[in-house]
Amino acid sequence: MRVFAIGDLHLPANTEKPMDVFGEKWGNHFRRISEDWLSLVESEDAVLIPGDLSWAMHLEDAAVDIAKIGALPGRKIILRGNHDYWWTSVSKLRSMLPEGMYALQNDSISMGDFTFCGSRGWLCPGAQGYSQSNDEKIYKREQTRLELSLRRTAPEKRIIMMLHYPPFNEKNSSSAFTELAEKYGVEHVVYAHLHGFSCKNAFEGERNGVKYTLCSCDHLDFKLKLIAQST
């Protein structure tokens, strides 16, 4: 079993929102992702999608994008991002997901040697735009949700953690999210949210025994990133 990751797919649902308005590199981006996906992923593999799957505003509109992902090979695990406004009730979402597609929220999912957990995350203290009055409450709430998910992981398995927001500020300082990853023995953290110039200084690599990977699809040149594989 192999574990891949790719985030921020920003599929258009039933909206007229082609992503190439953000630059030529986004032209036909889902076709390019699909071609790479089909060349790599087998049925027993897992693909992690840490947020911003669809521009849809309502679940019924996101269904077309969910179906596109569901039709691709492998087992897909999705997480809510800041633009996934259609994700309101996880029970309703889970009831309409295609076979082999899973939604993480305050829990964990085990497959093979791995157990997957995560939460949306939020701006970290010290980040540009972070306001104690506006952001601290959400930051602490996401910390609580992440620990709830971590507590439900299978301790005998390798822990892979998903976040939508990066677990660092621009100075790559430690945060409640990195501290939790270290506390629970997480092997690998994948995150997304960042695009363009913002990716330049994003931390990737190993830190205090935990690996970190930014997997926004444009950062990966619209190709899946191999995160881990069974030994």
Side-chain angles (χ1 to χ4, degrees):
M1 174 184 172
R2 295 171 298 168
V3 181
F4 297 91
I6 188 164
D8 286 84
L9 302 183
H10 287 296
L11 301 184
N14 293 317
T15 67
E16 292 295 328
K17 196 158 186 174
M19 287 299 292
D20 54 9
V21 299
F22 297 104
E24 291 182 2
K25 69 179 298 182
W26 281 90
N28 296 313
H29 80 287
F30 187 62
R31 176 181 59 78
R32 293 152 63 194
I33 291 170
S34 299
E35 289 174 353
D36 185 65
W37 191 316
L38 289 165
S39 73
L40 292 174
V41 180
E42 299 179 358
S43 60
E44 70 272 17
D45 295 332
V47 181
L48 312 181
I49 305 175
D52 285 1
L53 188 154
S54 172
W55 283 117
M57 297 297 293
H58 305 285
L59 181 58
E60 56 268 26
D61 296 321
V64 63
D65 292 333
I66 291 170
K68 289 178 183 177
I69 299 299
L72 292 168
R75 295 172 286 182
K76 285 74 68 172
I77 303 175
I78 63 174
L79 184 78
R80 186 179 182 183
N82 64 306
H83 288 296
D84 290 321
Y85 302 113
W86 49 271
W87 186 320
T88 54
S89 166
V90 72
S91 59
K92 288 183 179 179
L93 171 59
R94 286 172 173 165
S95 71
M96 56 84 69
L97 287 176
E99 183 178 358
M101 195 166 180
Y102 308 89
L104 263 181
Q105 185 168 306
N106 301 336
D107 55 4
S108 67
I109 298 169
S110 293
M111 296 178 183
D113 295 339
F114 303 96
T115 185
F116 303 98
C117 63
S119 188
R120 180 185 60 175
W122 196 248
L123 287 177
C124 295
Q128 183 177 359
Y130 182 91
S131 164
Q132 187 168 2
S133 60
N134 295 327
D135 296 301
E136 184 176 20
K137 181 179 180 180
I138 304 174
Y139 173 73
K140 289 183 176 180
R141 184 183 67 197
E142 288 298 315
Q143 175 185 353
T144 299
R145 288 176 171 175
L146 178 58
E147 185 153 28
L148 181 61
S149 181
L150 281 159
R151 285 175 178 171
R152 295 180 175 182
T153 56
E156 73 279 5
K157 295 181 180 289
R158 298 162 62 183
I159 304 175
I160 308 293
M161 188 171 99
M162 300 168 64
L163 292 168
H164 178 65
Y165 283 87
F168 309 99
N169 58 27
E170 288 85 354
K171 296 181 180 179
N172 294 323
S173 304
S174 297
S175 70
F177 307 126
T178 62
E179 291 170 0
L180 283 171
E182 294 166 20
K183 175 182 176 180
Y184 283 89
V186 170
E187 175 181 314
H188 209 132
V189 175
V190 298
Y191 65 98
H193 185 66
L194 302 179
H195 300 286
F197 184 78
S198 298
C199 299
K200 183 177 181 181
N201 295 317
F203 180 79
E204 296 190 84
E206 186 170 331
R207 174 170 168 165
N208 296 334
V210 182
K211 297 177 183 177
Y212 294 88
T213 296
L214 171 62
C215 65
S216 304
C217 65
D218 53 325
H219 177 63
L220 298 179
D221 196 26
F222 307 100
K223 297 178 180 179
L224 278 66
K225 178 76 173 182
L226 178 63
I227 298 300
Q229 53 188 334
S230 298
T231 54

